[in-house]
Amino acid sequence: MCRLRRIQRKSWQSSCDKDVLLNILGVLTDLLSLGTGRRIHYVISKGGSEALLQALISAARTEPPDPSILLPLLRLLARVGQKDRKFGIKVQKAEATDVILSLTRQNLGHHLNLTHCLWVLRVCASNVAAGTTLGINGAMELLFKVITPYSKQHIRTVRAAIEALAALLKSKSNSRQAVNRGYLGGLLRLYQDWHHNDVSNNYIYIRRGLLLCLKHITNIQLGRETFLGSRGMEILFTSVQDCLSCKNLDPIVTTVTQILRKCYPKEPLPLVTVRSSYSFPLPGNVKTERPCMGSEDDNESDSEEDMEKDLNKDDVEGKEEDYDLETDVNKLRSRPGLDRPEEELGQYEAMCPELSHDFQELDSESEEEKKSEDRSANLPSTSSHFIPSGNSVEDPNHRWRNQSGTEAGSDPQEKDFKASLQSSIKKEKCSRSLISEKREIVEAVQNANSYEEDPAKSHTFSPCPLPKEAPWYKKIFNPECEASIDPSSGVGSETTEIMTDLLEEHQGNIPFHSPHFYIARAKCTKSIPAYRDLAFPDFWGHQPPPHGTPMLDRHYGVQRDKVLDDVRRLIQPGDLIGRTVFDLDEPSHSSPGAPCCLTFFSKFESGNLRKAIQVREFEYDLIMNADVNTNQHHQWFYFEVRGMKLAVPYRFNIINCEKLNSQFNYGMQLVMYSVKEALQGRPRWLRAGHDISYYKNHYRCSAAAGGSLKGKCYYTLTFSIKFPHEDDVCYLAYHYPYTYSAMMSHLDVLEQSRNPKKVYWRQQALCQTLRGNTCPLLTITAMPESKKSDDLEQFYSRPYVFLMARVHPGESNASWVMKGTLEFLVSSDPIADLLRKCFIFKIVPMLNPDGVINGNHRCSLSGDDLNRQWLTPSSQLHPTIYHTKGLLYYLRSIGRAPLVFCDYHGHSQKKNVFLYGCSIKETLWQAGCMVDTAVITEDVGYRTLPKILDKVAPAFVMNSCSFLVEKSRESTARVVVWQEMGVLRSYTMESTYCGCSHGLYKGLQLGTQELEEMGSKFCLALLILHLKSFPCSKKVMAQAALLLDLEEEITITDRAQRRYSNSSLETEDEPPCAEEIDYNTDSCSDGEGDFSELDQEIQECLSWVEGEAEDEGETTGQTCGSKALRGLYISNQPASSNTALPLSSAPLGAYSGFESSPA
């Protein structure tokens, strides 16, 4: 390269210098044609781009320019330039722009030279700044002189010109110039011409190049408007129909789809306002219209771009991936402190009754305890099997009416309620109200036909025929019966009869689920809409299916087919119905029960469906409700549908999703519950849906509807379902629902089923929520063996483990994991018994009851993400966070800070189950900071628990864990408990909504059974952690060794059986999608930035030139009529069998499509 620079300074007239230069160019060509791109990058690092540009400038100044030097120089420049990110800047700095344009003009009649010049022009134009300069200097007019209508001549030259034009049009100024000069219409006509005549598909690259030009022009508003005015939507939509059946035409179909999506006229959602249909007056002077701050994707993980990238940004160095990492060591260090007066901590002493309990009950055993012990003896152990619970959704016709539904605002304590606990007296009152509430529930259950569960029964229902002649059956499934009940009136006698009949039908063999307990709890639940109906799945219960469900295979082309169907609405609107069949805001505008129409409903606990519009006979657009007091956070859905036909695929489009990506594109399915299936003995939520896709749509948030969210993009989740029965009542949900009432009734069942002589159980009220619902706090440990001082001392000195879940209402999978944890902790399993003797568990099973009840996805009634309030929670607005943190403060103040803290979450964009923890060193190392290990010391014990889980929990993956501390997470529970409470093992546990990519469950979607198993395995890991990390008595160690050996044998056998049953599953780690998924349709990431095709062209040209050197010697001035040269420009594809009459080959630049332009 240095030799090349020296030769540049000498006279180019010397034949010696020419020979040396040709030798150098030949050597460079050979070197850079072989091996990897590392050689090219090495040449670039040594100034190769600048040297080649200077050589080109010098060669161009000779009269006439020597093609034997120019051609290898241009080839090398094209090869090196495509790898040099700053090539465009170097071209401008060397003032080579005019030289390249001049050489292009000089060689308009010499197509071999012209093609080489166009390659370099394309590489230069890939830089937006250089492309803008080229556009100002007339590059586009020059290229339009080269681009011709369909012809079999000059193919390579025409292709090079089109691809150079596409690169130029990445510049917004060039795109505006092209629109103003009428080039857009000409490009459409050119594309039509090539499309109609290229019937053998020999010139796909030329057709795609023209589409890329259109794609870049339509990146600007003026381009989109002109495209629509030129009937571009109709032209491309019609043309792409001919390409769908041929997989080789995928580059064309993909590009057309992207253009159509981008140019589809933007319109607001069919709503008056995007704010939630529900609002709640906040205490104090806080305004209800609170902006919901923070990233949509907390989950301790899901990072999304808040704004789309500027399309004209180029040559910008890659941003530091870890910009969000906290690098201030002082902020990373533990900083114990209080966010409240210290005297307030005294009220939390009442929440730790285990530390002052005298255990007088150990002296005598009451009859009630004996009965309870007898009941618990019949309960199955949950160490290696899993028990489902009810879920929630509702129905509009005949529903399971909540007989004591209260109207919003009717609670007499609502006005006087204050979220904060000002004194221990108020705490005692709260506890007494909880006891009183429990008494009411027990009485309600006793009055409900004295129903008694028998958990010892088989876990499978015996199939029973549907009693179709029974009156209650006709009332449930006959839509005409709805008219007999007025929802505004009291509870109809028919509803009471139906409830009684159903309770008689229920066989009562779903473990840990009681319909009576659920009904009693649902009566006490307070919601904003004052729900009067129960969802059948919650009431009846859920039993997991016997086998796992594989992740859904993504059929090739499913996304583009859905997008083209959406475009068809605009192009061919004749078959659209557009009828609103359900409207939560304006029920009078709905037309339920219309012929050939499904009936929707969502006004039940955790339900979320705001509007349903019938688009075609079997297609519906659905709109989710925003979180209460917000205008965003649309992800969770849960609704009832009825009136379906059998074996008909119904398509549902949820059109106001917000996340940029979703596991629905990677094998995840929604869940469905069929009432008829449940009544036949199969009461279960099942994964359902096919042709599932998730993509950006044409809806935008208008200023009138969304205020500060103006211009916000929405995404569509589309899926199709064939319902299992005619005229069934089915429930569809984002994930397995788990309601507040289900959780509370589950706690009631657990409390009754435990063995009080072995299990210490205390359920208290942590606080009341904004709506007045109780947030329960559980304390679980083992009863002391006796009242001896040694046994009591061991009891009082047990370390604490603090667990909580469901701070985000839409993460119902977290509740299923918590359910597994609770059932294991109170079970008679020997490992659970040993674990209880090692720890005292403080558990808040649902941190956001109000959000769960009212169908929110992320926020509480205050409109805040509660997992962003841990730094300074408000006692009025965030009572559950305020008092949970207060309890943790209290435990720290008495020297009993938890050994382990874990917050259960769900994750929407990753597979598997994993932990997020906190580490100073790992954060600093990841951020690239120097770490002085002598100054910064850290206990690595935070890694022990996830390593254990990786061994014992089939769904857990250590490689997915992270221990970094981000600035954006500084107000989350995990980080605050780590920093302020000094808890080393402070975690967030994330469970996927989808499935697993590793391990025993690889290729399977996780069901409730696997989620509950994860909760029990977490308990097992805690026991192993205790044995590995802390001193234990010889007795405990001996017991643990025996039990863990037995557990390992059971696990190995169980895994072998599961492997055998799942042996046919796919073994890929992450099966790739069958098509590229372009979520950001307005971006220019279309793949043409990859110059691999250009490399191939250059190599083919080089091979041809070398093979035909003797014939070419004297033909540089000939036209393309030369037989030898014509072979270079005709496509390498087989000869066309085109029977259509092609246009006569016009001279370059003579195409009439651009007559109106200066070109």
Side-chain angles (χ1 to χ4, degrees):
M1 196 54 62
C2 296
R3 179 70 178 271
L4 179 60
R5 285 175 174 170
R6 288 197 297 270
I7 293 175
Q8 293 166 10
R9 302 189 192 101
K10 298 181 180 179
S11 170
W12 287 77
Q13 303 301 321
S14 170
S15 60
C16 178
D17 286 347
K18 175 182 177 181
D19 293 340
V20 172
L21 180 60
L22 287 174
N23 287 335
I24 293 175
L25 293 176
V27 171
L28 283 173
T29 300
D30 292 340
L31 286 173
L32 301 185
S33 299
L34 304 173
T36 64
R38 294 177 62 185
R39 294 182 178 182
I40 295 180
H41 288 296
Y42 180 78
V43 170
I44 294 171
S45 67
K46 298 300 180 182
S49 300
E50 293 89 338
L52 291 172
L53 285 170
Q54 289 300 323
L56 177 67
I57 293 171
S58 300
R61 288 173 181 167
T62 60
E63 290 294 341
D66 189 345
S68 64
I69 294 177
L70 275 177
L71 293 186
L73 258 178
L74 290 169
R75 283 195 294 270
L76 281 171
L77 274 170
R79 266 221 176 126
V80 173
Q82 62 182 286
K83 302 290 185 181
D84 189 347
R85 297 182 61 190
K86 298 185 178 181
F87 186 72
I89 298 174
K90 293 175 182 178
V91 169
Q92 290 183 294
K93 191 173 182 180
E95 299 180 351
T97 306
D98 291 337
V99 173
I100 296 171
L101 283 175
S102 177
L103 285 173
T104 305
R105 290 190 180 97
Q106 293 173 21
N107 289 281
L108 284 177
H110 303 269
H111 302 295
L112 178 62
N113 299 357
L114 177 60
T115 303
H116 285 68
C117 293
L118 291 174
W119 288 339
V120 177
L121 189 64
R122 173 190 173 185
V123 175
C124 293
S126 62
N127 171 272
V128 174
T132 302
T133 302
L134 288 168
I136 293 172
N137 293 333
M140 284 195 296
E141 293 85 345
L142 180 61
L143 291 175
F144 279 122
K145 292 180 180 180
V146 181
I147 301 172
T148 68
Y150 175 79
S151 171
K152 294 184 179 180
Q153 295 182 343
H154 325 312
I155 296 300
R156 197 182 299 276
T157 304
V158 173
R159 174 182 172 181
I162 291 174
E163 290 173 347
L165 178 62
L168 281 171
L169 290 173
K170 288 184 179 181
S171 162
K172 285 185 177 180
S173 62
N174 286 344
S175 292
R176 277 189 287 270
Q177 185 180 356
V179 174
N180 292 331
R181 297 190 178 189
Y183 293 160
L184 192 150
L187 286 169
L188 279 172
R189 289 189 288 273
L190 268 175
Y191 175 74
Q192 283 182 290
D193 181 44
W194 280 91
H195 174 75
H196 291 311
N197 289 287
D198 183 24
V199 294
S200 298
N201 300 323
N202 291 332
Y203 308 119
I204 296 174
Y205 287 124
I206 288 181
R207 290 156 64 184
R208 181 171 182 262
L210 292 169
L211 289 172
L212 291 176
C213 293
L214 291 171
K215 179 178 180 180
H216 297 323
I217 288 181
T218 53
N219 278 335
I220 62 173
Q221 181 66 28
L222 178 61
R224 291 191 290 273
E225 293 173 355
T226 306
F227 178 81
L228 291 171
S230 303
R231 298 185 68 252
M233 295 287 287
E234 292 87 342
I235 291 172
L236 294 191
F237 179 79
T238 303
S239 67
V240 81
Q241 304 303 315
D242 304 330
C243 307
L244 296 176
S245 59
C246 181
K247 196 168 183 179
N248 291 335
L249 298 178
D250 280 350
I252 290 176
V253 176
T254 300
T255 310
V256 168
T257 304
Q258 293 170 351
I259 296 172
L260 293 176
R261 288 169 62 181
K262 178 170 52 179
C263 296
Y264 197 117
K266 305 301 179 285
E267 57 183 279
L269 290 169
L271 295 172
V272 176
T273 175
V274 297
R275 290 198 65 81
S276 174
S277 299
Y278 304 142
S279 62
F280 182 78
L282 299 179
N285 297 322
V286 181
K287 294 183 179 179
T288 305
E289 304 260 340
R290 293 166 55 82
C292 197
M293 306 299 292
S295 168
E296 163 67 5
D297 257 342
D298 170 32
N299 294 348
E300 292 286 340
S301 54
D302 303 352
S303 59
E304 294 181 355
E305 298 177 13
D306 294 328
M307 300 178 64
E308 294 181 5
K309 296 179 181 178
D310 183 358
L311 301 177
N312 272 341
K313 286 184 180 177
D314 194 44
D315 287 318
V316 178
E317 294 295 333
K319 292 184 179 180
E320 178 60 50
E321 294 181 358
D322 305 308
Y323 69 95
D324 190 36
L325 295 179
E326 181 59 74
T327 56
D328 187 336
V329 178
N330 292 327
K331 290 184 178 179
L332 287 172
R333 292 182 187 277
S334 177
R335 49 175 191 271
L338 289 175
D339 62 1
R340 66 199 74 193
E342 188 173 358
E343 53 269 19
E344 281 192 20
L345 299 185
Q347 63 183 313
Y348 299 104
E349 182 180 359
M351 296 187 188
C352 299
E354 66 279 1
L355 297 181
S356 57
H357 200 287
D358 58 7
F359 295 100
Q360 294 295 331
E361 63 268 28
L362 292 178
D363 293 334
S364 60
E365 183 177 325
S366 67
E367 289 300 319
E368 183 178 351
E369 288 171 342
K370 288 181 179 179
K371 293 178 182 178
S372 179
E373 183 177 359
D374 292 338
R375 284 196 306 268
S376 65
N378 292 326
L379 286 174
S381 168
T382 60
S383 60
S384 58
H385 77 273
F386 314 96
I387 311 106
S389 173
N391 310 329
S392 58
V393 179
E394 226 352 276
D395 158 66
N397 293 336
H398 252 311
R399 299 188 179 84
W400 337 118
R401 197 58 64 107
N402 185 346
Q403 299 187 24
S404 63
T406 56
E407 298 297 328
S410 63
D411 183 0
Q413 299 177 353
E414 185 70 19
K415 297 180 181 179
D416 300 329
F417 169 72
K418 292 184 178 179
S420 61
L421 302 178
Q422 300 296 335
S423 65
S424 58
I425 297 176
K426 185 168 287 188
K427 177 59 64 179
E428 291 172 5
K429 289 181 179 179
C430 191
S431 297
R432 286 197 296 270
S433 69
L434 182 61
I435 295 171
S436 175
E437 181 183 0
K438 282 193 175 184
R439 286 175 181 166
E440 294 176 3
I441 291 170
V442 172
E443 291 173 1
V445 173
Q446 291 173 348
N447 293 333
N449 300 331
S450 63
Y451 169 83
E452 183 72 23
E453 255 188 88
D454 184 8
K457 289 185 180 180
S458 170
H459 285 186
T460 58
F461 282 83
S462 57
C464 55
L466 288 176
K468 298 184 179 180
E469 301 304 319
W472 62 266
Y473 180 90
K474 294 180 179 179
K475 291 174 182 176
I476 293 175
F477 294 105
N478 185 0
E480 297 176 0
C481 293
E482 174 63 14
S484 65
I485 294 181
D486 181 7
S488 62
S489 65
V491 179
S493 59
E494 297 94 337
T495 305
T496 306
E497 293 174 5
I498 290 175
M499 187 72 73
T500 303
D501 292 338
L502 283 174
L503 288 172
E504 292 177 355
E505 287 290 323
H506 198 285
Q507 299 182 24
N509 52 0
I510 298 181
F512 296 103
H513 176 75
S514 165
H516 298 277
F517 275 53
Y518 184 83
I519 293 171
R521 278 296 183 181
K523 291 178 181 179
C524 303
T525 299
K526 300 174 183 178
S527 62
I528 294 177
Y531 298 132
R532 298 172 57 84
D533 301 301
L534 301 180
F536 185 89
D538 290 326
F539 159 75
W540 196 260
H542 158 75
Q543 186 178 41
H547 304 292
T549 306
M551 283 189 273
L552 184 69
D553 289 332
R554 184 181 176 89
H555 295 304
Y556 186 80
V558 61
Q559 184 188 112
R560 73 185 186 198
D561 291 344
K562 301 295 185 181
V563 172
L564 292 175
D565 279 345
D566 291 346
V567 175
R568 186 176 285 107
R569 297 190 192 183
L570 179 71
I571 307 299
Q572 302 168 357
D575 63 339
L576 300 183
I577 298 175
R579 175 171 53 200
T580 299
V581 295
F582 175 77
D583 194 332
L584 198 62
D585 302 314
E586 297 289 344
S588 59
H589 294 174
S590 306
S591 53
C596 301
C597 173
L598 295 176
T599 303
F600 296 84
F601 188 73
S602 65
K603 291 191 69 174
F604 49 80
E605 189 175 347
S606 292
N608 190 316
L609 177 66
R610 183 170 187 171
K611 194 171 186 177
I613 303 170
Q614 186 178 18
V615 179
R616 300 183 178 96
E617 183 178 1
F618 302 113
E619 182 178 357
Y620 295 83
D621 281 354
L622 308 179
I623 300 176
M624 295 177 287
N625 194 22
D627 284 5
V628 177
N629 285 345
T630 78
N631 51 16
Q632 54 184 331
H633 306 301
H634 307 93
Q635 178 170 320
W636 173 259
F637 60 87
Y638 186 20
F639 57 89
E640 179 201 280
V641 60
R642 64 167 62 213
M644 64 285 294
K645 296 181 179 179
L646 182 64
V648 172
Y650 286 86
R651 177 180 171 183
F652 300 95
N653 311 304
I654 299 179
I655 61 175
N656 64 331
C657 302
E658 292 180 342
K659 291 181 179 288
L660 296 180
N661 202 345
S662 172
Q663 281 293 311
F664 281 116
N665 276 325
Y666 302 99
M668 176 178 164
Q669 295 172 281
L670 65 153
V671 294
M672 180 181 71
Y673 190 105
S674 164
V675 173
K676 284 191 176 182
E677 284 289 301
L679 294 175
Q680 290 182 18
R682 296 178 292 275
R684 54 183 61 118
W685 286 98
L686 295 174
R687 296 281 187 170
H690 60 276
D691 290 344
I692 300 176
S693 188
Y694 187 94
Y695 56 89
K696 183 189 287 187
N697 58 37
H698 61 282
Y699 290 105
R700 298 293 182 270
C701 188
S702 64
S708 61
L709 295 179
K710 177 184 177 182
K712 177 180 179 178
C713 303
Y714 290 107
Y715 294 77
T716 291
L717 165 64
T718 179
F719 55 89
S720 298
I721 285 184
K722 289 184 178 180
F723 294 101
H725 298 282
E726 183 101 4
D727 291 326
D728 196 358
V729 179
C730 291
Y731 294 81
L732 303 179
Y734 180 83
H735 195 66
Y736 303 97
Y738 193 95
T739 65
Y740 172 77
S741 296
M743 184 266 296
M744 295 298 287
S745 62
H746 183 234
L747 297 183
D748 295 333
V749 173
L750 289 178
E751 183 172 8
Q752 284 205 351
S753 66
R754 82 189 198 286
N755 183 348
K757 292 189 66 178
K758 291 187 175 182
V759 181
Y760 178 95
W761 167 288
R762 290 294 181 274
Q763 180 177 340
Q764 301 169 276
L766 175 72
C767 63
Q768 298 290 316
T769 64
L770 292 178
R771 185 62 186 90
N773 293 292
T774 299
C775 179
L777 169 68
L778 305 178
T779 305
I780 302 175
T781 187
M783 294 288 285
E785 294 185 3
S786 70
K787 290 188 63 177
K788 294 179 181 178
S789 58
D790 290 345
D791 291 333
L792 292 179
E793 179 63 27
Q794 192 276 339
F795 176 91
Y796 296 137
S797 61
R798 292 171 188 169
Y800 277 91
V801 170
F802 204 107
L803 307 177
M804 61 187 198
R806 208 68 183 278
V807 69
H808 294 141
E811 296 170 7
S812 60
N813 41 2
S815 282
W816 288 102
V817 177
M818 178 59 76
K819 181 176 183 287
T821 295
L822 293 173
E823 288 176 4
F824 182 84
L825 286 177
V826 302
S827 72
S828 57
D829 189 288
I831 293 179
D833 185 54
L834 186 58
L835 180 64
R836 291 192 296 265
K837 295 176 181 178
C838 294
F839 295 109
I840 299 175
F841 288 87
K842 287 290 184 184
I843 301 175
V844 184
M846 190 172 285
L847 267 173
N848 194 347
D850 287 343
V852 172
I853 292 167
N854 293 286
N856 283 7
H857 166 61
R858 191 165 193 83
C859 299
S860 66
L861 296 190
S862 67
D864 294 316
D865 179 347
L866 292 183
N867 203 34
R868 288 293 187 274
Q869 311 303 322
W870 277 79
L871 276 178
T872 54
S874 165
S875 61
Q876 285 190 314
L877 298 178
H878 323 117
T880 60
I881 304 301
Y882 184 84
H883 293 296
T884 302
K885 188 178 182 183
L887 177 57
L888 286 163
Y889 272 142
Y890 174 75
L891 291 175
R892 190 198 66 181
S893 70
I894 62 173
R896 304 296 297 275
L899 180 71
V900 174
F901 171 88
C902 192
D903 185 11
Y904 292 8
H905 279 253
H907 203 295
S908 66
Q909 296 194 29
K910 287 187 178 182
K911 291 182 171 65
N912 310 308
V913 181
F914 49 92
L915 289 180
Y916 288 116
C918 302
S919 166
I920 296 178
K921 285 186 177 181
E922 292 195 36
T923 302
L924 295 176
W925 284 332
Q926 183 67 27
C929 300
M930 296 295 294
V931 179
D932 187 348
T933 54
V935 177
I936 301 176
T937 58
E938 187 173 47
D939 185 347
V940 296
Y942 62 86
R943 278 185 163 266
T944 307
L945 184 60
K947 285 181 178 179
I948 296 171
L949 283 169
D950 193 50
K951 300 294 184 183
V952 302
F956 191 89
V957 175
M958 178 68 185
N959 289 340
S960 298
C961 297
S962 173
F963 305 95
L964 306 179
V965 181
E966 300 101 334
K967 297 174 184 176
S968 60
R969 315 292 185 200
E970 65 177 1
S971 58
T972 60
R974 165 180 63 102
V975 177
V976 170
V977 172
W978 174 66
Q979 288 185 328
E980 297 189 14
M981 314 300 167
V983 177
L984 174 69
R985 299 170 184 83
S986 179
Y987 305 106
T988 298
M989 183 160 67
E990 299 281 359
S991 300
T992 180
Y993 288 99
C994 182
C996 293
S997 59
H998 296 77
L1000 180 64
Y1001 298 142
K1002 181 177 180 179
L1004 292 177
Q1005 299 182 75
L1006 292 188
T1008 57
Q1009 176 170 307
E1010 291 75 30
L1011 292 170
E1012 291 183 43
E1013 178 191 51
M1014 186 63 232
S1016 65
K1017 294 299 182 183
F1018 185 81
C1019 296
L1020 175 62
L1022 288 174
L1023 177 61
I1024 299 175
L1025 172 70
H1026 184 76
L1027 299 174
K1028 289 172 65 73
S1029 306
F1030 305 98
C1032 300
S1033 67
K1034 291 182 179 180
K1035 180 180 178 181
V1036 170
M1037 291 296 290
Q1039 286 180 314
L1042 180 62
L1043 292 173
L1044 293 177
D1045 285 344
L1046 179 61
E1047 172 73 17
E1048 185 176 359
E1049 289 181 16
I1050 295 172
T1051 302
I1052 291 173
T1053 304
D1054 182 55
R1055 291 190 178 189
Q1057 292 173 350
R1058 291 180 188 243
R1059 278 200 190 94
Y1060 179 77
S1061 64
N1062 298 329
S1063 58
S1064 63
L1065 294 177
E1066 198 170 340
T1067 57
E1068 293 288 337
D1069 279 354
E1070 172 71 53
C1073 278
E1075 61 180 318
E1076 177 186 359
I1077 300 172
D1078 180 18
Y1079 302 104
N1080 188 3
T1081 58
D1082 295 338
S1083 75
C1084 56
S1085 58
D1086 41 44
E1088 81 274 16
D1090 179 6
F1091 289 93
S1092 57
E1093 297 169 3
L1094 178 57
D1095 267 339
Q1096 184 179 355
E1097 282 188 77
I1098 295 171
Q1099 192 63 38
E1100 290 173 358
C1101 178
L1102 180 60
S1103 301
W1104 181 87
V1105 170
E1106 290 174 349
E1108 301 289 338
E1110 294 182 2
D1111 296 338
E1112 185 187 340
E1114 301 298 328
T1115 61
T1116 53
Q1118 296 179 6
T1119 67
C1120 285
S1122 165
K1123 178 179 180 181
L1125 281 179
R1126 187 180 297 120
L1128 174 63
Y1129 305 116
I1130 296 179
S1131 170
N1132 291 327
Q1133 301 284 343
S1136 171
S1137 58
N1138 182 6
T1139 57
L1141 293 175
L1143 297 179
S1144 59
S1145 179
L1148 296 181
Y1151 177 43
S1152 60
F1154 301 102
E1155 287 179 350
S1156 62
S1157 69

